[in-house]
Amino acid sequence: MTERIIPVTDLRKQLVLPTIPSPLIPATGLLADKLARPLRDLRISVTDRCNFRCVYCMPKEVFDKDYQYLPHNSLLSFEEITRITKIFIAHGVEKIRLTGGEPLLRKNIEKLIEMLASLTTLDGKPLDLTMTTNASLLAKKAQSLKDAGLKRVTVSLDSLDEATFQRMNDVDFPVSDVLNGIDVAHRVGLQSIKVNMVVKGGMNDQEIVPMARHFKGSPAILRFIEYMDVGASNGWKMDEVVPSAEVVRRISAVMPLVEVEPNYTGETAARWRYVDGGGEIGVISSVTQAFCGDCNRARLSTEGKLFTCLFATSGHDLRALMRGDYSDAQITAAIAHLWSKREDRYSELRTINTDGLSQAVRKVEMSYIGG
Ligand code: SAM
Ligand code: SF4
Ligand code: SF4
């Protein structure tokens, strides 16, 4: 029997004040970590709350009515998020993804989008500003998000079958509302909509082909994500992971696929296109084919801790620097120092030692640092 790990200490309360190196390290846009990986992508969790209880992310037994969410004054303010984003841009970040928890639950999120949309990358281009959402509020908010400057959106949807989807979101949320959200997002002009399906073996893997068929030829690109051992509360087991190779095999058996070149270095999804011209799918093989070698992503938790890996066990408290009397130059140097020491490659190590790692280390929840 596999043991279930429940966190004993609350990792959110760890106090780690980042080092400010002396002399200060300026931003050059050329920052590289120990494995020569640049910093290009920042995922910002804007809330740790969610109106879903997806079984693989915020299971009801842990995230129940007594669960202590962060108090409002712990959350980074929009001004703080914008300030820190500018510093990350100076280090070379070009892509910002707002996530959570459910980002559309954050009050006045449009205001934050407006503030971020006005920023440009080091070479003067607009930021690639996107959001991952469960789409429960998307139909209502798509227009205002677009007007505020959001470029793209990724929607999570794990099944088209009502009973399966409701078993996965665990709050009886209907499929039709998510599909409507996707339609409205498309209609208001949010570009290149992606749909993410986490595949959990024995739960929704029978939905792989129906989902592929539904989105084939539609404007949305469907991406299959291997169920990951993130956090400490989802009771992850390797035998519930459906390898991407199996996903491709099952779809290709009925709708033939060929592999396509990646769009850019560091793209997490491998691309496959339908031979008959019906568009493409993506597969994200976080478990069976780790892509740490190109990982240029940092994550900022809801309360401003920097995580240099999705599977990190502790974060670096940038909020403490922002709320202390530290200058932008000092915070810039602190981030440079942290990134230059980074050598995370959890998924690669997990591949080497499949069972051991997941059970041995205690990781933070995905709803806290964002997916
Ligand atoms: N609430 C939003 C949503 O669901 O789109 C944004 C936050 S959610 C944490 C971001 C992404 O992480 C979602 O696509 C979700 O399916 C994925 N995710 C959460 N837990 C996961 C797990 N254990 N394995 C793989 N993906 C997971
Ligand atoms: Fe909420 Fe997204 Fe996690 Fe589901 S995956 S519980 S929608 S944060
Ligand atoms: Fe990046 Fe960590 Fe995921 Fe590897 S395990 S791809 S280093 S976030």
Side-chain angles (χ1 to χ4, degrees):
M1 203 177 90
T2 312
E3 261 179 47
R4 186 77 185 272
I5 299 199
I6 304 290
V8 181
T9 50
D10 188 340
L11 290 164
R12 298 172 305 178
K13 296 196 177 121
Q14 286 182 344
L15 262 185
V16 185
L17 201 64
T19 306
I20 313 278
S22 174
L24 295 180
I25 311 169
T28 58
L30 300 172
L31 198 56
D33 70 6
K34 278 202 161 161
L35 304 176
R37 297 169 297 188
L39 173 53
R40 294 280 178 267
D41 182 332
L42 179 65
R43 302 186 174 197
I44 305 174
S45 173
V46 293
T47 176
D48 59 340
R49 289 165 198 258
C50 188
N51 52 348
F52 283 17
R53 285 292 173 274
C54 301
V55 289
Y56 50 75
C57 179
M58 295 179 77
K60 261 183 185 164
E61 320 79 86
V62 177
F63 296 87
D64 59 12
K65 63 176 180 18
D66 298 323
Y67 186 81
Q68 296 281 311
Y69 293 96
L70 296 167
H72 190 73
N73 63 0
S74 285
L75 272 52
L76 288 188
S77 68
F78 291 168
E79 288 70 25
E80 287 168 334
I81 292 176
T82 307
R83 178 181 176 199
I84 204 76
T85 301
K86 283 184 190 161
I87 295 176
F88 274 98
I89 289 174
H91 277 310
V93 162
E94 295 167 342
K95 178 171 169 183
I96 300 286
R97 176 175 298 279
L98 300 179
T99 177
E102 173 45 44
L104 292 181
L105 291 184
R106 178 81 187 251
K107 211 168 155 209
N108 300 326
I109 187 75
E110 295 86 348
K111 178 74 206 148
L112 174 65
I113 290 169
E114 222 174 275
M115 291 162 81
L116 297 177
S118 69
L119 305 179
T120 50
T121 64
L122 281 180
D123 45 10
K125 297 197 187 112
L127 269 187
D128 181 2
L129 182 58
T130 180
M131 172 185 282
T132 304
T133 172
N134 63 23
S136 53
L137 298 168
L138 191 57
K140 203 166 110 196
K141 286 189 165 255
Q143 186 68 60
S144 60
L145 294 171
K146 165 82 177 143
D147 294 345
L150 190 70
K151 301 275 173 17
R152 307 190 288 121
V153 74
T154 297
V155 169
S156 304
L157 175 63
D158 296 329
S159 172
L160 290 170
D161 173 68
E162 205 64 77
T164 308
F165 184 54
Q166 295 189 6
R167 213 165 38 244
M168 288 190 87
N169 67 53
D170 218 8
V171 293
D172 296 336
F173 197 82
V175 175
S176 54
D177 286 16
V178 177
L179 294 177
N180 185 37
I182 296 171
D183 282 350
V184 177
H186 180 62
R187 235 179 295 135
V188 303
L190 287 166
Q191 306 286 316
S192 53
I193 298 173
K194 297 197 176 104
V195 175
N196 281 353
M197 169 180 175
V198 175
V199 183
K200 187 170 177 199
M203 190 133 208
N204 65 339
D205 59 310
Q206 74 287 0
E207 282 290 289
I208 292 170
V209 172
M211 284 280 286
R213 194 171 282 124
H214 180 89
F215 288 103
K216 182 170 183 267
S218 86
I221 297 181
L222 176 60
R223 305 185 316 168
F224 297 89
I225 305 181
E226 288 177 350
Y227 169 46
M228 287 186 287
D229 48 333
V230 277
S233 54
N234 64 12
W236 183 87
K237 293 193 212 85
M238 184 67 194
D239 58 12
E240 291 167 336
V241 177
V242 179
S244 293
E246 170 65 11
V247 170
V248 170
R249 193 195 61 73
R250 286 198 207 175
I251 299 171
S252 218
V254 281
M255 297 173 280
L257 290 163
V258 283
E259 194 162 8
V260 192
E261 286 294 300
N263 283 316
Y264 54 89
T265 314
E267 189 172 32
T268 48
R271 301 167 59 207
W272 292 77
R273 73 173 166 76
Y274 292 106
V275 173
D276 69 2
E280 66 180 71
I281 61 154
V283 287
I284 303 182
S285 318
S286 338
V287 179
T288 60
Q289 268 191 301
F291 36 78
C292 303
D294 287 328
C295 180
N296 52 22
R297 286 175 296 282
R299 291 177 163 83
L300 193 61
S301 78
T302 317
E303 54 181 346
K305 288 200 180 127
L306 176 68
F307 287 81
T308 53
C309 177
L310 180 55
F311 298 93
T313 49
S314 64
H316 307 279
D317 197 349
L318 300 184
R319 188 190 66 186
L321 298 182
M322 284 193 282
R323 293 190 185 174
D325 243 353
Y326 294 90
S327 66
D328 282 4
Q330 287 173 307
I331 300 174
T332 301
I335 294 171
H337 178 71
L338 281 168
W339 193 263
S340 59
K341 285 194 317 183
R342 174 188 192 239
E343 48 187 351
D344 305 278
R345 51 188 198 102
Y346 177 89
S347 289
E348 280 182 2
L349 298 175
R350 179 214 299 109
T351 308
I352 299 166
N353 178 14
T354 302
D355 295 326
L357 274 176
S358 171
Q359 307 299 327
V361 294
R362 197 177 297 131
K363 297 157 291 182
V364 286
E365 298 300 332
M366 193 133 166
S367 49
Y368 169 67
I369 56 169

